[in-house]
Amino acid sequence: MSNQHFDVLIIGAGVSGIGMACHLKRECPGKSFAILERRQSLGGTWDLFRYPGIRSDSDMFTFGYNFRPWTGGKVLADGASIKNYVAETAREHDVERHIRFGLAVKTAGWSGVDKCWKLTALNEETGETEHYTASFMIGCTGYYNYDQGYKPDFPGESDFRGQIVHPQHWPEDLDYTGKKVVVIGSGATAITLVPTMAEKAAHVTMLQRSPTYLMPLPSTDKLTLALQKILPEKTAYRLTRARNISISRFLYQRSRKSPQFMRRLFLGIIKRQVGDTADMRHFTPDYNPWDQRLCVVKDGDLFQAMKAGKASIATDHIDRFTETGIRLKSGEELAADIIIPATGLDIQMLGGIRPTVDGEEVVMKDKVIYKNVMVEGVPNAGMIFGYTNISWTLKVDIAAEYLCRLMNLMDKRGYRTVVARDTENSRGDDTVLGSLNAGYINRAADRLPRQGTHGPWKSSQNYLEDVKILRFEPIEDGYLEFDGKRSHASQKESGGFLRPLRSALFGT
């Protein structure tokens, strides 16, 4: 097939890819672009995962795009509603027709001679290889492997006579009515699965090695519903968004500054939910709040299922699988008809693509990230990577805006190439995913680019700070090279603190 050229190629049509494309249409209307998507439908995570109860674990008023309000009072939306929101956004901004479905990108190489990216993509339906070139490439593939999740090899697994089902590959015809179910894990997936399956199953046990910090959250925001009745849609959305960003930031920052106080606060909230008779050992983590992600419990449904006797928690280590369930290190046996290893994700960058620059592979673990949107030493490429401590999409919006600003400046100046150069040996130990001590991040340390120790190489995970940096600070900051020449730091725009604060909270 003949080569197809675009100004911009976006890899992935999930929340990040659709968001990036919408910003391109809004802010760079003259640029040609295409979205290469391996699946046959858009939505990314929200198209892939089909397990019972699949929902957001971030509130939808901050998870929604800043340019398109999430309407209604639902705080934690189900997967189908989120996918529908993304699809409607794509249609409204006329980006759906730019998606090339069923294309698995196999190679992506930058040519310094031709000043462009050259990509090959396998059409998985026809088996044909398609060729693309682009002046700019933007990775919007998320950070995990869509083909398989992480699952340890459990001793005796082959002895188990029931079904083993990974949440990432949920069979549509799985009938768990009246069955005994064991869900292995204590993260967001397990917290969602257990109360949902308990509605039909005989009993569901959540088997965890160690507890996670939990936070009950109502699924409907009554204040927002009231605001929507008296205010214009966008105004109500911005006010709710500002409030929720402020609350999220406060909880995170207070957890980092006063971990013991916040530990007592979180455990006190759980104590009131589960009652005096519950064993708090199952809810008391051995780490500080926000060393790992906080898990949201919708309407306290997990606690209600436990009180009703439909669900329980076992905190122990697995000795081995048996024919009829799982034997624990303590000697206790958990009977099961179905075992669900909700044991996490398999992390990978760029959907498994190994990019090259002039024939040399880019080894991500040896690279440092620039403003969390570019990889040092990789020309004309961006990477949309959301937050780990608040809603993913908050970062998608401002990262997309930054890349649009960058490309518009290049057009204005007549530049053909841009690359971030770390000339100060800024590489640190933390990965692009921050300092979270989660297992899935630690397992992927050899695959993730690093943060730097200072300046634009260090990721703050601070939304207000990132708004200031990505939306308002000058592009030419002395760290970027344009057409092989180091840019000189421009004068910063005036406006003080209030302008980025207002913009961050109200989207203006």
Side-chain angles (χ1 to χ4, degrees):
M1 178 175 280
S2 60
N3 182 74
Q4 303 173 74
H5 181 79
F6 296 91
D7 293 326
V8 183
L9 276 177
I10 298 170
I11 314 300
V15 171
S16 301
I18 297 302
M20 182 69 232
C22 290
H23 281 284
L24 266 179
K25 290 282 287 188
R26 289 157 53 89
E27 298 158 44
C28 305
K31 288 201 176 292
S32 62
F33 71 93
I35 307 172
L36 305 185
E37 169 57 51
R38 180 180 176 184
R39 299 177 65 78
Q40 293 297 336
S41 180
L42 57 73
T45 293
W46 307 106
D47 179 61
L48 174 68
F49 283 95
R50 306 291 178 90
Y51 60 79
I54 173 69
R55 59 166 172 78
S56 65
D57 61 350
S58 299
D59 81 272
M60 290 306 300
F61 300 100
T62 56
F63 191 80
Y65 299 114
N66 64 10
F67 55 86
R68 185 173 186 270
W70 171 264
T71 56
K74 191 179 289 186
V75 178
L76 302 174
D78 60 90
S81 296
I82 298 172
K83 181 183 174 181
N84 185 59
Y85 169 79
V86 175
E88 287 181 348
T89 303
R91 284 192 292 272
E92 285 185 15
H93 288 79
D94 193 32
V95 302
E96 198 170 25
R97 64 187 176 90
H98 295 271
I99 306 173
R100 310 291 179 92
F101 291 108
L103 293 180
V105 178
K106 296 299 182 181
T107 64
W110 168 261
S111 169
V113 174
D114 298 319
K115 304 291 189 296
C116 70
W117 283 94
K118 300 180 179 183
L119 287 76
T120 62
L122 175 66
N123 187 316
E124 295 189 324
E125 185 176 348
T126 66
E128 296 180 355
T129 297
E130 301 185 11
H131 298 271
Y132 294 85
T133 59
S135 302
F136 215 97
M137 179 180 72
I138 303 174
C140 296
T141 57
Y143 61 89
Y144 67 89
N145 185 343
Y146 274 43
D147 290 329
Q148 62 183 18
Y150 172 74
K151 187 181 79 62
D153 292 324
F154 296 108
E157 190 173 330
S158 60
D159 297 337
F160 180 57
R161 293 185 303 193
Q163 289 180 275
I164 299 175
V165 179
H166 196 284
Q168 195 163 319
H169 303 286
W170 197 270
E172 292 184 7
D173 59 350
L174 181 66
D175 183 11
Y176 53 90
T177 304
K179 302 288 182 67
K180 295 186 289 291
V181 180
V182 174
V183 178
I184 304 172
S186 60
T189 301
I191 298 300
T192 301
L193 270 169
V194 171
T196 306
M197 296 187 74
E199 295 174 3
K200 295 181 180 179
H203 189 83
V204 183
T205 303
M206 187 172 84
L207 172 58
Q208 59 182 13
R209 287 187 303 179
S210 59
T212 299
Y213 284 102
L214 305 177
M215 173 61 73
L217 189 69
S219 58
T220 302
D221 189 331
K222 294 180 180 179
L223 177 58
T224 297
L225 288 173
L227 288 174
Q228 289 172 347
K229 291 178 181 179
I230 60 175
L231 296 174
E233 183 179 78
K234 288 186 177 180
T235 303
Y237 181 62
R238 288 171 177 170
L239 286 172
T240 303
R241 188 177 173 91
R243 179 199 64 186
N244 291 358
I245 290 171
S246 299
I247 292 172
S248 296
R249 289 302 309 159
F250 173 79
L251 290 175
Y252 178 76
Q253 291 176 334
R254 182 53 57 188
S255 293
R256 307 314 284 175
K257 292 179 180 178
S258 307
Q260 291 307 309
F261 171 78
M262 293 303 291
R263 177 183 177 87
R264 289 192 297 271
L265 175 64
F266 287 132
L267 294 183
I269 292 172
I270 299 306
K271 182 76 172 177
R272 287 193 292 273
Q273 289 281 329
V274 298
D276 294 333
T277 60
D279 186 351
M280 285 300 293
R281 178 175 63 94
H282 299 309
F283 303 99
T284 307
D286 59 4
Y287 56 88
N288 287 328
W290 274 112
D291 283 352
Q292 298 183 25
R293 281 184 66 96
L294 195 71
C295 282
V296 170
V297 181
K298 185 186 72 170
D299 294 320
D301 56 4
L302 174 65
F303 312 123
Q304 293 172 17
M306 293 178 65
K307 287 178 179 178
K310 297 286 289 180
S312 59
I313 298 178
T315 304
D316 207 331
H317 287 70
I318 294 173
D319 179 44
R320 63 177 293 107
F321 281 28
T322 65
E323 290 185 357
T324 58
I326 298 176
R327 184 191 306 145
L328 305 178
K329 293 285 188 183
S330 63
E332 180 185 357
E333 296 211 13
L334 301 178
D337 302 303
I338 301 172
I339 296 175
I340 301 170
T343 45
L345 304 169
D346 179 41
I347 301 296
Q348 68 176 10
M349 299 298 295
L350 291 173
I353 304 165
R354 296 183 175 180
T356 61
V357 173
D358 291 325
E360 291 191 17
E361 182 178 337
V362 177
V363 181
M364 288 293 183
K365 70 180 179 64
D366 295 334
K367 297 294 184 180
V368 67
I369 204 78
Y370 170 81
K371 294 186 177 179
N372 233 32
V373 292
M374 298 174 72
V375 178
E376 61 106 2
V378 182
N380 288 31
M383 182 175 67
I384 303 294
F385 218 78
Y387 289 113
T388 56
N389 61 346
I390 48 176
S391 291
W392 178 271
T393 325
L394 289 173
K395 186 59 172 288
V396 170
D397 278 323
I398 56 176
E401 290 173 16
Y402 173 84
L403 290 172
C404 289
R405 286 179 62 211
L406 173 61
M407 287 184 278
N408 284 337
L409 180 136
M410 291 175 68
D411 290 344
K412 181 180 178 180
R413 299 274 202 270
Y415 298 140
R416 294 185 65 190
T417 65
V418 60
V419 62
R421 296 287 187 196
D422 177 19
T423 60
E424 303 169 335
N425 192 27
S426 303
R427 187 178 183 276
D429 294 326
D430 286 345
T431 70
V432 65
L433 285 172
S435 58
L436 291 181
N437 192 30
Y440 68 94
I441 296 175
N442 295 334
R443 289 192 300 269
D446 61 341
R447 283 164 271 171
L448 295 171
R450 295 308 193 261
Q451 294 184 41
T453 56
H454 60 280
W457 312 105
K458 186 172 180 60
S459 173
S460 67
Q461 292 290 318
N462 184 324
Y463 176 63
L464 295 183
E465 180 68 19
D466 284 344
V467 166
K468 181 172 73 75
I469 292 170
L470 296 177
R471 192 176 280 167
F472 296 107
E473 288 191 354
I475 298 293
E476 295 171 298
D477 61 357
Y479 293 93
L480 295 179
E481 285 183 3
F482 293 96
D483 290 347
K485 296 180 181 179
R486 172 79 68 168
S487 66
H488 296 289
S490 304
Q491 291 294 319
K492 293 187 178 181
E493 297 180 25
S494 62
F497 176 69
L498 290 179
R499 183 180 177 192
L501 176 62
R502 182 176 65 250
S503 178
L505 295 181
F506 297 103
T508 57

